[in-house]
Amino acid sequence: MASVQLSAPGTLTSSTLVSTNRRASIFGGMQFRLEKRCLKGLTGLTAKAATVVTPKYTTVRPLGDRVLVEIKTSEEKTSGGIFLPSTAQTKPQSGEVVAIGEGRTVGDKKVEISVPTGAEVVYSKYSGTEIEFNGVKHLILHEDDIVGIIETEDVKDLKPLSDRVLIKVAQAEDKTAGGLLLTEASKEKPSIGTIIAVGPGLLDNDGNRKALDITPGSTVLYSKYAGSEFKGDDGSDYIALRFSDVMAILS
């Protein structure tokens, strides 16, 4: 397994090794994918390879509110043991933070990066710029593109960041109102769930966090095509999305 080196806080270099075994254990067996977006009209898109940082450069230091994440390696097999070609492998959406920027200034207040180096994170699928450094793929992205921090192997313990919330999705109905059984393909995707965890909120114009007006345990109606979906260890579905995608509280 590839390793990287940190020479100073917030800086990635190629000398001291940082073990990635913990990352492998945390993400092992956890399934997650970004909710399908409407990409109507976007034809002829071409996937771009990562920018390769040549060996003569020994340091990558993110600036501002950016962080450098070592990307989790894609699975090379299906759950049934079938090898996948590179074109069929699921794009990874997780990794370890190995370097951070100095933060940003909001109003008259200096706001530091809230994600520490060494944290295991999940990030938005189409965010950031991919680079290859010292033979390992990394992603440079804004702190706001990080969905949350995973502190255990169970997704229900995901710690949402910024204005995001973690929701346990209600189960889809197996029957219609008339009593007809529904197949998996015909089941209506649920957009109702229970709030499990709440992020610290957005920054206001003075650089202070504004708490979200919702609490864990609330049952909510949320936008159907938003957020990042996860499969929990208990077999339940979870979704992390921005608070603005929560449309109503049900009671």
Side-chain angles (χ1 to χ4, degrees):
M1 185 166 296
S3 301
V4 295
Q5 170 187 12
L6 293 174
S7 63
T11 302
L12 173 69
T13 68
S14 55
S15 17
T16 336
L17 297 180
V18 177
S19 173
T20 56
N21 289 338
R22 177 172 172 271
R23 178 172 64 259
S25 65
I26 286 180
F27 290 103
M30 182 177 292
Q31 301 176 19
F32 53 86
R33 64 179 177 82
L34 188 71
E35 177 66 24
K36 290 182 179 178
R37 306 272 184 180
C38 293
L39 298 179
K40 187 177 180 180
L42 298 183
T43 58
L45 295 180
T46 303
K48 295 182 179 180
T51 300
V52 178
V53 179
T54 58
K56 70 177 182 178
Y57 299 111
T58 59
T59 300
V60 176
R61 181 169 65 89
L63 298 178
D65 64 339
R66 293 176 177 84
V67 299
L68 183 66
V69 175
E70 181 180 330
I71 299 175
K72 171 182 172 285
T73 304
S74 300
E75 294 293 334
E76 295 180 353
K77 293 182 181 180
T78 65
S79 57
I82 299 174
F83 279 94
L84 298 173
S86 58
T87 53
Q89 291 177 22
T90 302
K91 179 179 178 180
Q93 293 171 240
S94 63
E96 178 184 348
V97 175
V98 293
I100 60 176
E102 67 277 10
R104 56 186 170 129
T105 300
V106 181
D108 296 327
K109 188 173 183 179
K110 179 67 178 292
V111 181
E112 297 182 350
I113 301 290
S114 62
V115 183
T117 57
E120 310 289 342
V121 298
V122 177
Y123 51 85
S124 299
K125 185 174 184 180
Y126 299 107
S127 60
T129 299
E130 192 171 301
I131 65 171
E132 186 173 318
F133 178 77
N134 200 27
V136 181
K137 288 186 177 181
H138 295 78
L139 196 70
I140 297 179
L141 68 164
H142 290 282
E143 179 187 14
D144 190 56
D145 289 323
I146 297 177
V147 174
I149 299 175
I150 295 182
E151 298 178 331
T152 73
E153 295 182 12
D154 198 339
V155 69
K156 70 179 179 58
D157 296 324
L158 175 74
K159 180 182 176 182
L161 296 182
S162 189
D163 61 334
R164 292 178 175 86
V165 295
L166 178 66
I167 296 173
K168 183 176 182 179
V169 179
Q171 291 186 349
E173 294 293 332
D174 291 326
K175 294 182 180 180
T176 66
L180 295 176
L181 290 176
L182 297 173
T183 62
E184 287 295 329
S186 64
K187 288 181 184 178
E188 177 68 19
K189 176 181 168 61
S191 55
I192 296 175
T194 303
I195 298 290
I196 301 299
V198 177
L202 291 172
L203 293 170
D204 61 20
N205 293 332
D206 297 320
N208 300 312
R209 291 284 178 186
K210 184 178 180 181
L212 300 180
D213 187 22
I214 199 164
T215 57
S218 301
T219 300
V220 297
L221 180 70
Y222 59 88
S223 181
K224 182 179 290 188
Y225 299 105
S228 300
E229 292 185 337
F230 305 81
K231 178 70 72 173
D233 288 349
D234 59 357
S236 300
D237 293 321
Y238 293 82
I239 187 169
L241 42 74
R242 293 191 181 275
F243 179 61
S244 58
D245 289 319
V246 176
M247 297 183 288
I249 298 176
L250 306 177
S251 61

